[in-house]
Amino acid sequence: MNTPEWLKPGIYGAVIGAVFVGVVGFTWGGWVTGGTANDRAMAMSRDDVVASMVPVCLEMAQSDPARAEKLETIRAASTYQRRDALMEAGWATVPGTDAPNRDIAHACLAALDVDALPERAESAVDEG
């Protein structure tokens, strides 16, 4: 097939323009593939579920009769083992499941702020 000479610059321009639009769209335009969009949606939903379960974890910690002992165990653990100690306390176990969730334990530990909690002196005498 013989293409007219005047058509070649138009074809080259269209191809170069399409490549340029694609590169600009994916780098600066915010375009993403379906896989990336799915990964982002899954991460956002996981973060939302964890955020919604932190109040449950805090309520479980607040209403636990052995709260003082468990807090001491968590405080005594090294910084990188506190999440595991909170999981062993049972506060990161979502009602209806058998195993604790690591992400919920991490978020609950941050919300609990174990180091900032006042010591619970139950045997202290009120000198009022």
Side-chain angles (χ1 to χ4, degrees):
M1 176 172 142
N2 291 336
T3 57
E5 196 62 34
W6 59 269
L7 189 58
K8 287 182 184 178
I11 293 174
Y12 292 144
V15 170
I16 292 171
V19 170
F20 179 75
V21 166
V23 168
V24 169
F26 278 103
T27 55
W28 293 320
W31 298 353
V32 293
T33 62
T36 302
N38 188 37
D39 292 344
R40 288 182 185 174
M42 293 300 287
M44 286 174 51
S45 66
R46 185 174 39 253
D47 292 345
D48 289 344
V49 167
V50 168
S52 69
M53 292 309 295
V54 169
V56 174
C57 175
L58 294 175
E59 177 60 33
M60 290 170 64
Q62 199 71 300
S63 64
D64 192 348
R67 180 177 198 261
E69 294 84 22
K70 290 179 180 180
L71 280 175
E72 285 304 316
T73 303
I74 293 170
R75 277 192 192 103
S78 62
T79 304
Y80 65 91
Q81 291 176 333
R82 285 184 174 182
R83 179 178 60 193
D84 293 335
L86 190 134
M87 290 170 59
E88 288 174 14
W91 298 339
T93 304
V94 177
T97 63
D98 297 328
N101 185 297
R102 295 182 77 75
D103 295 331
I104 293 174
H106 182 72
C108 185
L109 190 60
L112 207 67
D113 199 14
V114 176
D115 292 326
L117 288 175
E119 294 292 326
R120 237 184 148 165
E122 294 180 42
S123 62
V125 177
D126 185 19
E127 298 183 21

